[in-house]
């Protein structure tokens, strides 16, 4: 079995999951059935805030929290839901989005990094 490097995992994730621009993200959020998932650690979210209306599910808990077309999901995610995933810089979100696709979610996108969102004037809120 060939060992995979972080670089190869990221390259594969970026091939399979579309990385959205700020404008594409805004359009998708405003015009469709979308959910935003923050996969950063609790301390990052508490210190910096969260994208407005996003839900926080740390990267390490995604597989345990979300199941396609399940009533156990914390939000109503179905095959028509666009899932936009972000982290601090876009790397964990790429891997998280790839994981969600591997689990069977259909419309998964990498929103990128929180700092990029903030730098572009995206709405944020304190984490509650």
């Amino acid at each position: 079995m060939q060992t995979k490097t972080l670089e190869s995992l990221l390259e594969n994730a970026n091939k399979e999951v579309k990385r959205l621009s700020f404008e594409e993200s805004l359009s998708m959020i405003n015009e469709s059935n979308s959910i935003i998932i923050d996969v950063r650690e609790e301390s990052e979210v508490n210190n910096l805030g969260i994208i407005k209306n996003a839900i926080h599910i740390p990267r390490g808990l995604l597989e345990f929290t979300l199941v396609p077309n399940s009533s156990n999901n914390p939000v109503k995610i179905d095959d028509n839901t666009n899932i936009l995933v972000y982290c601090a810089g876009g790397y964990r979100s790429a891997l998280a989005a790839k994981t969600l696709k591997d689990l069977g979610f259909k419309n998964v996108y990498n929103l990128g990094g929180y700092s990029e969102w903030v730098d572009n004037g995206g709405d944020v809120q304190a984490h509650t």
Side-chain angles (χ1 to χ4, degrees), residues 6 9 14 38 44 47 53 57-58 64 68-69 71 79 82-83 87 93 100 103 105 119 121 127:
L6 175 58
L9 291 171
N14 287 322
D38 185 322
E44 294 172 282
N47 289 334
N53 299 321
I57 305 173
F64 302 101
N69 298 311
S71 60
D79 284 343
N82 292 313
I83 304 170
C87 62
S93 57
L100 290 173
L103 288 171
F105 290 97
D119 290 348
H127 179 56

Side-chain angles (χ1 to χ4, degrees), residues 55-126:
I55 63 167
H56 177 238
I57 305 173
R59 167 70 191 97
L61 297 178
L62 276 178
E63 298 89 335
F64 302 101
T65 307
L66 299 177
V67 178
N69 298 311
S70 170
S71 60
N72 292 333
N73 287 335
V75 291
K76 305 275 192 234
I77 297 175
D78 60 26
D79 284 343
N80 297 315
T81 305
N82 292 313
I83 304 170
L84 288 72
V85 183
Y86 75 95
C87 62
Y91 300 109
R92 286 176 287 178
S93 57
L95 296 172
K98 168 77 167 67
T99 297
L100 290 173
K101 286 193 88 152
D102 289 347
L103 288 171
F105 290 97
K106 306 285 186 226
N107 305 312
V108 184
Y109 303 91
N110 182 1
L111 188 146
Y114 182 78
S115 58
E116 180 183 348
W117 179 264
V118 171
D119 290 348
N120 279 290
D123 289 336
V124 297
Q125 64 189 42

Side-chain angles (χ1 to χ4, degrees), residues 12-57:
N12 189 32
N14 287 322
K15 284 180 184 174
E16 292 193 36
V17 178
K18 179 176 172 64
R19 170 68 157 81
L20 300 175
S21 69
F22 178 76
E23 293 76 18
E24 288 172 320
S25 298
L26 278 180
S27 177
M28 193 171 286
I29 291 166
N30 291 329
E31 297 177 14
S32 66
N33 179 24
S34 297
I35 180 95
I36 307 166
I37 300 176
D38 185 322
V39 297
R40 296 175 298 157
E41 296 298 319
E42 189 76 29
S43 60
E44 294 172 282
V45 173
N46 288 337
N47 289 334
L48 299 172
I50 193 167
I51 291 177
K52 187 176 181 182
N53 299 321
I55 63 167
H56 177 238
I57 305 173

